[in-house]
């Protein structure tokens, strides 16, 4: 489902909170998907999870936590919990639909009856106590059951934010958002620099599936010429459609938060995954950024004066089929 995500580390926010935010788009131009906010008590959480959109059934741990979620208000098309916070003060947003490439999907095909976006909040949030545990639990589920789609998921506690991206049917990578930085995710695999050595030793800022090194080597996925592994080059897409639909949204937010230091173009494939902002970021900044439509540029679809030759050529962030926007803040 098309979305745009912003993640802000605790030293980059105005009040020391961690912030994860995402807007959610309807699947088409002619309808919206109404959402509702619910509180799920431990006694309401099943002991076996049965998906709606696939046939997967997963036994669940005992002693679930109370948590909030924002599922679909209309039943019959899946749960789609979207986002929430549990009683251990751990939050998540699930999910940002992302992209891959034929080499990766040929090496590790998607799993028809695996887990997907509709399932992830229900399967993970009631059973974790911090952001790292969220990465570890979802990683285990992906390796065990597989997934039928490519997604990015954010986990947060009051100190850390982690971003996980699925790689093919069973693999995944995750990177910790720097405390002094923000991250923008516009519907494509976004993690760029990735330290595999850290992921297989201390896991200070990187984690990944247990056989990632062997997977990369076996299928000749690493495209680097200088031994500096780049996950976006290896696992992501660089299609013409990305340069119209995805990368312009990263461009729009990063030029807003770094107006004097950001020098990229809307079609660039190397827009940084994380950036240190020029000033501390507020909730109002996040809301405004997730409503951007290239104001102040020739790309603004609402522009009515001057050069109109580039009007509306890129997909804006704020669009007439945004269903909802969630912002989760956690403070010490």
């Amino acid at each position: 489902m098309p979305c745009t995500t912003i993640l802000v580390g605790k030293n980059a926010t105005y009040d020391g909170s961690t912030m994860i935010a995402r807007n959610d788009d309807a699947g088409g131009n002619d309808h919206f998907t109404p959402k509702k906010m619910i509180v799920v008590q431990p006694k309401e959480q099943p002991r076996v999870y049965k998906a709606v959109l696939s046939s997967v059934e997963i036994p669940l741990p005992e002693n679930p936590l109370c948590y909030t979620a924002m599922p679909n208000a209309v039943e019959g098309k899946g749960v789609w919990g979207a986002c929430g916070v549990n009683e251990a003060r751990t939050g998540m947003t699930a999910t940002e639909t992302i992209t891959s490439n034929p080499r990766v999907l040929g090496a590790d095909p998607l799993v028809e009856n695996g887990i997907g976006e509709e399932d992830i909040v229900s399967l993970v949030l009631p059973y974790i106590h911090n952001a790292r545990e969220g990465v570890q639990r979802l990683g285990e589920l992906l390796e065990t059951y597989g997934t039928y789609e490519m997604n990015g998921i954010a986990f947060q506690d009051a100190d850390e934010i982690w971003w996980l991206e699925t790689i093919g049917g069973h693999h995944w990578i995750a990177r910790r958002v720097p405390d002094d930085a923000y991250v923008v995710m516009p519907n494509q695999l976004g993690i760029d620099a990735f330290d595999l050595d850290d992921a297989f030793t201390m896991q200070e800022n990187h984690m990944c599936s247990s056989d990632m090194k062997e997977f990369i080597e076996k299928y000749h996925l690493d495209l680097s010429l200088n031994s500096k592994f780049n996950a976006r080059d290896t696992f992501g897409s660089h299609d013409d459609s990305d340069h119209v639909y995805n990368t312009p949204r990263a461009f729009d937010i990063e030029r807003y938060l770094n107006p004097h230091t950001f020098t990229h173009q809307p079609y660039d494939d190397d827009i940084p995954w994380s950036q240190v902002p020029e000033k501390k970021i507020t909730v109002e900044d996040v809301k405004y950024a997730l409503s951007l439509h290239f104001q102040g540029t020739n790309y603004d679809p609402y522009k009515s004066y001057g050069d109109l030759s580039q009007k509306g050529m890129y997909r804006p962030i704020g669009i007439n089929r945004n269903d909802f926007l969630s912002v989760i803040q956690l403070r010490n």
Side-chain angles (χ1 to χ4, degrees):
M1 185 174 289
C3 314
T4 308
T5 296
I6 302 178
L7 317 172
V8 191
K10 62 184 179 181
N11 294 339
T13 63
Y14 71 108
D15 61 352
S17 63
T18 58
M19 287 197 288
I20 63 175
R22 181 172 62 91
N23 60 20
D24 198 26
D25 291 358
N29 293 318
D30 58 347
H31 70 279
F32 290 88
T33 304
K35 309 289 283 186
K36 61 183 178 180
M37 183 174 178
I38 62 172
V39 178
V40 182
Q41 300 293 341
K43 64 182 180 180
E44 299 170 335
Q45 185 75 351
R47 292 303 179 262
V48 176
Y49 179 83
K50 297 181 181 181
V52 175
L53 300 184
S54 79
S55 61
V56 69
E57 295 188 11
I58 299 174
L60 297 174
E62 298 294 330
N63 303 315
L65 300 172
C66 177
Y67 70 100
T68 64
M70 289 194 66
N72 287 352
V74 179
E75 295 183 358
K77 294 186 178 181
V79 181
W80 304 89
C83 61
V85 181
N86 69 24
E87 62 180 290
R89 300 180 70 243
T90 300
M92 67 181 293
T93 180
T95 67
E96 179 82 26
T97 304
I98 61 173
T99 55
S100 188
N101 62 65
R103 290 174 297 105
V104 169
L105 297 177
D108 183 10
L110 298 175
V111 179
E112 182 178 354
N113 285 309
I115 62 175
E117 179 171 352
E118 71 133 336
D119 312 306
I120 291 175
V121 169
S122 302
L123 289 171
V124 177
L125 190 55
Y127 309 104
I128 59 176
H129 298 81
N130 55 57
R132 286 175 180 262
E133 286 187 12
V135 172
Q136 291 162 351
R137 172 156 176 80
L138 180 54
E140 291 174 359
L141 290 167
L142 290 168
E143 293 181 45
T144 303
Y145 298 97
T147 180
Y148 53 80
E149 58 188 358
M150 296 287 299
N151 281 312
I153 299 94
F155 299 97
Q156 74 178 139
D157 52 48
D159 292 308
E160 295 187 341
I161 301 173
W162 281 81
W163 177 254
L164 180 149
E165 296 182 326
T166 63
I167 309 296
H170 298 88
H171 293 81
W172 57 276
I173 57 174
R175 183 172 160 187
R176 185 176 184 267
V177 176
D179 290 338
D180 62 348
Y182 68 92
V183 165
V184 180
M185 290 301 307
N187 283 135
Q188 64 180 151
L189 192 140
I191 295 175
D192 43 27
F194 190 84
D195 189 340
L196 285 166
D197 290 335
D198 179 44
F200 281 93
T201 54
M202 300 300 292
Q203 297 186 344
E204 291 183 358
N205 297 296
H206 306 80
M207 288 188 272
C208 64
S209 45
S210 57
D211 66 339
M212 183 57 74
K213 284 185 176 180
E214 294 82 358
F215 177 64
I216 293 170
E217 182 176 356
K218 179 178 180 180
Y219 294 102
H220 311 287
L221 298 175
D222 186 359
L223 302 182
S224 65
L225 291 173
N226 55 10
S227 300
K228 292 183 178 180
F229 179 69
N230 186 299
R232 190 187 300 173
D233 289 345
T234 296
F235 303 125
S237 63
H238 306 95
D239 297 337
D240 293 339
S241 59
D242 284 328
H243 304 147
V244 175
Y245 197 79
N246 295 328
T247 55
R249 283 181 280 155
F251 159 85
D252 208 13
I253 291 178
E254 295 193 27
R255 77 176 181 94
Y256 167 64
L257 295 175
N258 288 77
H260 303 100
T261 56
F262 184 69
T263 59
H264 286 268
Q265 297 299 317
Y267 45 78
D268 285 347
D269 285 321
D270 60 347
I271 294 174
W273 178 73
S274 66
Q275 286 253 81
V276 176
E278 294 182 19
K279 64 178 180 62
K280 291 190 174 183
I281 296 174
T282 68
V283 174
E284 294 92 337
D285 290 326
V286 171
K287 172 61 179 70
Y288 185 77
L290 288 176
S291 302
L292 284 171
H293 49 86
F294 303 105
Q295 295 96 311
T297 75
N298 287 334
Y299 314 127
D300 187 346
Y302 304 116
K303 186 177 180 182
S304 59
Y305 58 89
D307 182 2
L308 303 181
S309 63
Q310 296 175 306
K311 175 181 176 179
M313 67 181 295
Y314 297 127
R315 194 270 201 201
I317 298 162
I319 198 169
N320 63 357
R321 55 188 175 92
N322 290 147
D323 278 338
F324 83 103
L325 185 155
S326 68
V327 182
I328 302 176
Q329 283 185 280
L330 292 176
R331 286 185 284 266
N332 280 313

